[in-house]
Amino acid sequence: MDTGFACHCGGHRLILRCLNALLLLFLIAGPQFAHASEPSPLLIDYSHTAWSERDGAPTGATKFAQGPDGWLWIATPTGMYRFDGVRFERTDKIHGYPLESSNIMGLTTAPDGAVWVGYRVGGVSVFRKDGAHTYAEQDGLHPVGSLHIEAAPDGAIWVAMRDGVAVLPRGGSRFQYLGPEAGLPALGVFQILFARDGTTWVGTNTGAFFRKPGETRFTQAWPHVALVWLCEAPDGTIWGNDFKNGYYRVRSTQPSAGESLKPELDGYGMLFDRQGTMWMMHTDGMERRVAPAGASLPEQRLSKENGISGPILSTRFQDREGNLWIGTAGGIDRLRPNRLRTMPVETQLEYPALVAGPSGDIWVGDYARDVWKYNLAGRVSREALGPITASYTAPDGVLWLGGTEALQRRDRDGAVTSIPYPPELKSLRVHALQQDRDGALWASFSSGKGVYKLVDGQWTKSGGLQGLTDLLTTSMARDAKGNLWMAHLRSQITIIDGATARTLGPKDGLQLGTIMQVYRDGQAMWAGGENGVVLYRDGRFATLRGERNEIFRGVSGIVRLPNGDLWLHGADGLYHIAAADINAWLNNEQTAVAFERFDAQDGMMGHAPQLRPVPSLMRSSDGVLWYATSTTIGTIDPAHILRNPLAPPVEIISVTSDSMRYPTPLNRELALPAGTQNLQIDFTALSLSIPERVRVRYRLVGLDRTWQEATGRRQAYYTNLAPGNYRFEVIASNEDNLWNTKGAALEIGIPPTFVQSGWFKLLLAALGILLLYSAYALRIRYLTQRMQESLQARLAERSRIARALHDTLLQSMQALLMSFDAHSQNLKEGTTERTRLDQTLNLAEQLLVEGRDQIMDLRASASPDALELTLEQFGKGLAEHRSHAFAMKVSGVPRQLRPHVHDEVYAIAREALFNASRYADASRIELELDYSANAFVVRIRDNGKGLDDAVAAAGHRPGHWGMVGMRERAYNIGASLAIESKPGVGTELTATVPGRTAY
């Protein structure tokens, strides 16, 4: 059970009367309780970050500088460092040009972006992106240390040397010394200052010297003591340090007789920031002097007690974004102005509760102390006694405060009435208070006691309504119709309309877990809880979602400004959503809204309360937003938020591939080795205030179709890149979403290796085609071989069948014919029987000849791969059945003919052999095949009777078309066909096929 102040139940009324009397006494003597505003502690107004050697930070810094490119340059006795807000990097080069020494004392940047470096061992270097130069003896400088460098308004460079002041005029090439002839000491110069009125000041170990505009000589100022660390105040006062931690007001006029000039301030390294605030270094810390003439306050110091990086402060600097930088013997520190202002308090608050004051101001109470009125300066006056956990301010200005013992009613005139709780509610926490449309007050209590309704001093459980849940009611509000909304645990909301109540829950799309605030927004109602924020309108809930998967979890404070902006206070900070983005979401609830978040980076301490007191966010009548965490209260003025107007410069630092690092060339064109496939591209965005909120996007044109977001890193990685030309682009925004859309770019060329070149691809394609052709040829050869084998087998089988038929059937028929012929001789010639038998024998003999011809055809089937073999078999087969001899001659190396040539040649030769065998009456037939490179020749000759004159003239025998067919076949393959014949000598047929056609 929650408990508050312990007291005996029987005496509570007496105690309450005493409290009322004390409150009345307070109101009468209120001014006595008011406190004058005091300066807030340093670290309430600033966020402090310390980097030590373990973080890579340099120690013993001698100077800071920053140019337009955004890099923070840090000079040390052991080298030069640069910082981009995330990483310290020691560098031996600036803009790619080497330093002459690592022992650096002087450092500054000129308006043109040049970086000037002075070495403790002598010499000054200037670095620009297009070149560098070191000034030494040949350039007019003596070989002594350079302690301080300052760029003059006229563009000249002034250097405080150990042996005087050296000046390089604008556009000059040699330094000129200002020595005694100019009124300056020859030794011991430490600093140069150009005042706003045009006066030039020089600090030396013998005093300060000044030269007003138009003068040619310097005059010594007062006091005549060593004065260094010269500094100009906003009012024009020049301050100088005496080497003994004492600061004098430096005077250009002699003091009156008898006037003693003494140090007025303690410290060294004085600095006035852009707001005119004085900062002072001490050996043990940095001090903010709120009032230069006032006392030094411990709470205005950054020291080892609150985490400074080390002792012995060595230098200080304010960057272009307004951050203060401090160098110590242990590291580097940054003080960043907070955008959220935490209110200073005298004693630690315990779960502070925001109270809407009757005049639109903000009051604050907590679990342990009284209620006080606050303004932007801090605590103003005590307004009520005792701790509170909830409050409600009625439209008529009556204030209801819920404590642990009784409910207090405070009228506008300050009169306080105490209303005790029912006995069962003693010492319980009040979570929410709200009046309904009838003016009755409803109160929610912890420990499962539900809600009570107060009417005419009487408490009624659940207001007399049946079915109200006893789940804890965390927040209450009234909607536009006057209905009372009660937010509960487990994603439940109860709406009371007079004597009826209804419940909304998960079935209605409510998925917030514990609901911590309901808030009226015109005709709609917002609800915030553990799991986000929803809006109820037109009878349904819509869930608010933010960009980058933001759900706005743990919201216990909601405020909609008159301009439409929405502010949410949740577990992860304070959110601001612009009116335009809210309106876009209202038109399309699937839209992810843009937002900005304020959290610990902006000075918030803690997070929004996750149960009570709520609401944790309120708006005062002056437009300022007040928020509460578990231990603090703070403010932000939406109309005057501290903004960063500088978009971050973006720089591509290097490209790494195969462990080789390539710095970015000045011409922004980088040629990588052939065959490069994997890249790491390092880049940075130079915003030093809140680098954690810098957003960086990049793309590799030629590969990436859209921008890539670099979350938590400043590198881009690419693998398996093909050869080609690419363009890497990177852009960035600062913490206020101000984008540098120009960004940086780098042209990257990756030439192909031989195996990636076009020639190789062509060669590979040709090789592929050759392999395919070879595979095809091998396949054809294999199939041809199989076909040949099959044809040879078929030919052998046909020859066997032909032999069998010849040796059996034809021989038997021949014997039978001879037997019949012998019998026919026994018949008398001229008789009918003899005539018929002769006719039958003639017919049988004709059938026998045709059978022999068919057998010859059967044996003469051609093989595509063995023309000489098949023709030889055909010729021999003819000779077996005719009375002639056959011979074949092959010249040259037999080659395979083209398939269509082979078929036509075979047909021509077969027809010629057959004709010679049948019609020539030859005793010898010869076949000659000549395989030469130029032509393939088939020649068939016989020694027969030759062609008849009529056949030779007609070109064919009447009724026969063999010779015609041979000529047609020869024509089809582009061959020539010649027939020579002489009566009684024989016939010679020659078919000639050109070599390119034959093979």
Side-chain angles (χ1 to χ4, degrees):
M1 178 182 293
D2 291 339
T3 59
F5 291 118
C7 65
H8 193 274
C9 294
H12 73 277
R13 295 184 183 275
L14 177 60
I15 293 174
L16 290 176
R17 286 196 295 270
C18 292
L19 290 174
N20 289 337
L22 288 173
L23 180 58
L24 181 61
L25 177 63
F26 162 75
L27 294 174
I28 294 173
Q32 300 180 46
F33 291 84
H35 292 261
S37 62
E38 296 179 353
S40 58
L42 172 65
L43 294 185
I44 281 181
D45 295 330
Y46 289 83
S47 289
H48 168 235
T49 305
W51 292 273
S52 68
E53 286 185 281
R54 288 176 294 183
D55 305 305
T59 60
T62 55
K63 291 289 190 303
F64 291 101
Q66 186 182 34
D69 61 4
W71 284 103
L72 181 67
W73 297 97
I74 308 170
T76 77
T78 59
M80 180 71 76
Y81 288 76
R82 65 178 185 175
F83 185 55
D84 62 358
V86 175
R87 187 171 67 94
F88 291 94
E89 177 188 6
R90 187 183 183 279
T91 177
D92 295 325
K93 297 179 180 180
I94 298 178
H95 300 319
Y97 302 100
L99 294 162
E100 291 294 324
S101 171
S102 62
N103 196 341
I104 304 169
M105 282 294 295
L107 176 66
T108 194
T109 56
D112 64 356
V115 180
W116 290 83
V117 176
Y119 305 106
R120 180 172 288 181
V121 295
V124 173
S125 294
V126 59
F127 299 90
R128 296 183 174 89
K129 292 187 176 181
D130 59 352
H133 180 71
T134 297
Y135 295 87
E137 291 89 330
Q138 70 274 13
D139 304 295
L141 290 181
H142 299 165
V144 296
S146 306
L147 304 182
H148 180 79
I149 306 176
E150 197 73 30
D154 64 359
I157 299 298
W158 291 53
V159 184
M161 308 288 290
R162 292 189 184 276
D163 61 350
V165 175
V167 179
L168 178 68
R170 181 178 181 179
S173 60
R174 289 182 59 83
F175 276 92
Q176 303 168 4
Y177 272 86
L178 302 180
E181 70 282 359
L184 291 175
L187 298 173
V189 178
F190 289 90
Q191 194 176 4
I192 298 157
L193 171 68
F194 297 103
R196 290 187 293 273
D197 64 358
T199 301
T200 302
W201 292 85
V202 177
T204 75
N205 59 7
T206 59
F209 294 78
F210 66 94
R211 186 180 72 181
K212 293 183 179 182
E215 297 180 346
T216 59
R217 288 183 56 84
F218 283 84
T219 302
Q220 186 171 10
W222 286 266
H224 291 176
V225 296
L227 290 176
V228 295
W229 287 99
L230 299 180
C231 184
E232 183 180 16
D235 62 0
T237 301
I238 302 297
W239 293 85
N241 179 264
D242 64 357
F243 272 136
K244 298 178 181 179
N245 292 334
Y247 262 100
Y248 291 83
R249 291 180 189 266
V250 182
R251 301 187 182 186
S252 59
T253 59
Q254 184 175 358
S256 59
E259 182 180 1
S260 176
L261 299 181
K262 296 181 179 180
E264 298 182 33
L265 298 173
D266 179 49
Y268 61 95
M270 179 188 293
L271 171 70
F272 287 91
D273 63 24
R274 297 189 188 101
Q275 287 70 43
T277 302
M278 177 190 286
W279 296 84
M280 187 76 76
M281 292 198 308
H282 302 276
T283 55
D284 62 345
M286 172 68 86
E287 177 191 8
R288 177 175 64 173
R289 299 287 299 223
V290 179
S296 179
L297 303 175
E299 63 271 18
Q300 297 300 322
R301 287 201 181 202
L302 176 66
S303 61
K304 65 178 181 180
E305 282 73 21
N306 43 32
I308 198 169
S309 63
I312 316 299
L313 278 66
S314 54
T315 189
R316 73 286 178 272
F317 177 73
Q318 186 177 26
D319 68 23
R320 61 186 195 146
E321 296 171 273
N323 305 295
L324 289 172
W325 296 86
I326 308 163
T328 75
I332 302 293
D333 294 76
R334 179 188 63 197
L335 286 172
R336 182 183 66 242
N338 287 331
R339 300 201 284 185
L340 300 177
R341 185 171 184 272
T342 300
M343 300 302 297
V345 295
E346 292 186 357
T347 55
Q348 182 64 58
L349 295 172
E350 299 179 24
Y351 302 101
L354 299 176
V355 179
S359 300
D361 47 5
I362 297 295
W363 298 359
V364 179
D366 70 347
Y367 280 15
R369 292 166 188 83
D370 301 333
V371 178
W372 285 76
K373 177 181 178 179
Y374 276 73
N375 62 20
L376 293 179
R379 200 166 71 170
V380 178
S381 59
R382 184 183 284 113
E383 299 293 341
L385 301 178
I388 65 167
T389 58
S391 67
Y392 170 70
T393 303
D396 59 3
V398 173
L399 184 64
W400 299 85
L401 302 171
T404 54
E405 297 299 326
L407 180 69
Q408 295 187 50
R409 172 189 168 121
R410 185 186 186 281
D411 295 330
R412 288 190 64 89
D413 60 3
V416 178
T417 303
S418 181
I419 304 171
Y421 300 136
E424 68 271 19
L425 304 178
K426 294 296 183 182
S427 71
L428 296 183
R429 307 261 189 215
V430 179
H431 280 261
L433 297 169
Q434 179 68 46
Q435 281 183 325
D436 59 21
R437 65 164 67 101
D438 299 322
L441 185 74
W442 292 75
S444 165
F445 293 89
S446 61
S447 300
K449 296 300 183 181
V451 294
Y452 283 73
K453 181 179 180 181
L454 177 65
V455 178
D456 297 331
Q458 298 298 317
W459 296 96
T460 305
K461 176 70 183 301
S462 300
L465 299 178
Q466 298 298 319
L468 284 188
T469 180
D470 282 337
L471 284 176
L472 178 66
T473 298
T474 56
S475 175
M476 290 189 281
R478 279 165 49 189
D479 63 18
K481 297 178 181 179
N483 300 325
L484 181 62
W485 285 54
M486 297 181 179
H488 309 293
L489 314 179
R490 303 175 188 171
S491 300
Q492 293 189 29
I493 289 177
T494 300
I495 302 176
I496 298 177
D497 182 4
T500 63
R502 63 188 179 99
T503 300
L504 301 175
K507 67 180 186 303
D508 303 293
L510 194 58
Q511 301 288 344
L512 296 182
T514 298
I515 303 172
M516 288 174 282
Q517 189 184 5
V518 284
Y519 176 84
R520 176 186 170 187
D521 183 8
Q523 299 297 315
M525 294 291 290
W526 291 95
E530 286 180 306
N531 301 327
V533 175
V534 297
L535 179 68
Y536 186 81
R537 61 171 180 163
D538 302 327
R540 54 183 294 274
F541 287 101
T543 301
L544 185 68
R545 291 284 187 267
E547 293 179 339
R548 303 185 297 280
N549 301 317
E550 180 60 55
I551 66 170
F552 309 109
R553 68 185 188 93
V555 168
S556 61
I558 303 172
V559 170
R560 187 84 184 272
L561 300 186
N563 67 357
D565 288 5
L566 180 67
W567 287 78
L568 308 171
H569 189 207
D572 297 316
L574 186 63
Y575 296 91
H576 170 220
I577 306 173
D581 296 308
I582 286 294
N583 291 334
W585 176 78
L586 291 174
N587 292 328
N588 180 8
E589 295 170 359
Q590 302 304 315
T591 302
V593 297
F595 64 91
E596 63 176 334
R597 177 168 52 204
F598 303 88
D599 52 25
Q601 299 286 354
D602 305 280
M604 181 175 287
M605 301 179 184
H607 55 73
Q610 296 299 288
L611 192 62
R612 63 172 182 267
V614 295
S616 61
L617 184 66
M618 285 187 177
R619 179 176 179 267
S620 59
S621 57
D622 57 4
V624 175
L625 291 175
W626 293 69
Y627 65 88
T629 68
S630 59
T631 58
T632 64
I633 55 171
T635 64
I636 185 171
D637 186 351
H640 300 92
I641 299 175
L642 181 62
R643 296 296 188 187
N644 185 350
L646 300 174
V650 180
E651 185 170 325
I652 300 172
I653 299 174
S654 64
V655 176
T656 302
S657 177
D658 297 328
S659 301
M660 181 66 70
R661 184 175 183 269
Y662 304 91
T664 302
L666 293 177
N667 63 0
R668 303 294 173 180
E669 296 180 0
L670 178 63
L672 294 174
T676 298
Q677 290 185 321
N678 303 326
L679 296 182
Q680 174 186 314
I681 305 176
D682 292 271
F683 49 83
T684 189
L686 293 145
S687 181
L688 303 183
S689 291
I690 312 180
E692 297 85 353
R693 290 206 189 132
V694 170
R695 296 177 62 187
V696 182
R697 292 173 179 169
Y698 65 87
R699 65 182 177 185
L700 188 63
V701 179
L703 182 67
D704 292 328
R705 295 183 178 179
T706 59
W707 290 98
Q708 309 293 318
E709 188 101 9
T711 304
R713 56 185 170 85
R714 295 191 174 183
Q715 296 89 25
Y717 300 94
Y718 293 96
T719 59
N720 299 322
L721 287 176
N725 294 318
Y726 300 91
R727 177 181 174 86
F728 182 76
E729 299 176 346
V730 57
I731 59 176
S733 71
N734 65 9
E735 65 270 25
D736 289 312
N737 211 36
L738 179 61
W739 284 89
N740 175 355
T741 55
K742 181 180 179 181
L746 177 64
E747 302 290 342
I748 300 175
I750 304 177
T753 61
F754 173 72
V755 298
Q756 294 173 323
S757 65
W759 287 109
F760 179 79
K761 292 177 180 178
L762 290 175
L763 181 61
L764 198 62
L767 181 60
I769 294 173
L770 180 61
L771 289 175
L772 289 175
Y773 176 77
S774 299
Y776 172 77
L778 289 174
R779 179 64 176 170
I780 294 299
R781 181 177 180 182
Y782 170 75
L783 293 177
T784 302
Q785 184 178 358
R786 293 294 302 274
M787 186 179 297
Q788 289 176 347
E789 292 174 355
S790 176
L791 288 174
Q792 290 292 344
R794 292 173 61 188
L795 182 61
E797 180 64 15
R798 292 160 75 100
S799 298
R800 186 191 65 79
I801 294 172
R803 285 195 301 270
L805 290 174
H806 178 270
D807 295 341
T808 55
L809 178 62
L810 294 184
Q811 293 293 343
S812 297
M813 289 183 65
Q814 182 69 32
L816 183 61
L817 288 175
M818 292 176 64
S819 176
F820 275 105
D821 184 64
H823 287 294
S824 68
Q825 298 299 324
N826 296 325
L827 294 178
K828 186 178 179 178
E829 292 186 5
T831 63
T832 304
E833 291 79 4
R834 176 69 179 264
T835 301
R836 289 181 178 176
L837 182 58
D838 288 340
Q839 291 176 349
T840 302
L841 289 174
N842 290 335
L843 178 61
E845 185 176 359
Q846 183 178 357
L847 291 176
L848 180 62
V849 171
E850 291 180 358
R852 286 174 179 172
D853 291 343
Q854 293 298 322
I855 291 173
M856 293 301 298
D857 287 342
L858 182 65
R859 297 190 63 179
S861 296
S863 170
D865 285 334
L867 179 65
E868 62 274 12
L869 175 63
T870 54
L871 289 177
E872 182 180 21
Q873 290 180 347
F874 183 77
K876 288 181 178 180
L878 291 173
E880 291 179 2
H881 301 283
R882 301 291 180 180
S883 59
H884 61 77
F886 174 78
M888 187 180 76
K889 178 183 177 182
V890 178
S891 302
V893 179
R895 299 169 65 179
Q896 183 175 347
L897 301 180
R898 296 180 186 272
H900 69 286
V901 173
H902 175 280
D903 293 342
E904 300 295 353
V905 167
Y906 173 75
I908 292 171
R910 181 177 176 276
E911 181 69 20
L913 290 172
F914 188 79
N915 288 341
S917 177
R918 174 169 291 186
Y919 302 115
D921 291 335
S923 62
R924 180 177 179 83
I925 299 175
E926 295 178 356
L927 169 65
E928 183 179 343
L929 301 178
D930 184 7
Y931 292 91
S932 67
N934 296 327
F936 173 73
V937 179
V938 178
R939 185 175 291 107
I940 300 169
R941 65 173 65 94
D942 63 68
N943 59 356
K945 61 183 181 181
L947 295 176
D948 294 338
D949 293 338
V951 173
H956 64 89
R957 295 179 186 276
H960 293 266
W961 305 98
M963 295 178 67
V964 175
M966 285 190 290
R967 288 189 176 91
E968 290 177 349
R969 292 179 185 276
Y971 177 80
N972 288 339
I973 59 175
S976 62
L977 183 66
I979 301 176
E980 294 181 2
S981 180
K982 293 181 180 180
V985 177
T987 302
E988 180 177 310
L989 181 146
T990 304
T992 305
V993 185
R996 63 177 179 276
T997 304
Y999 308 119

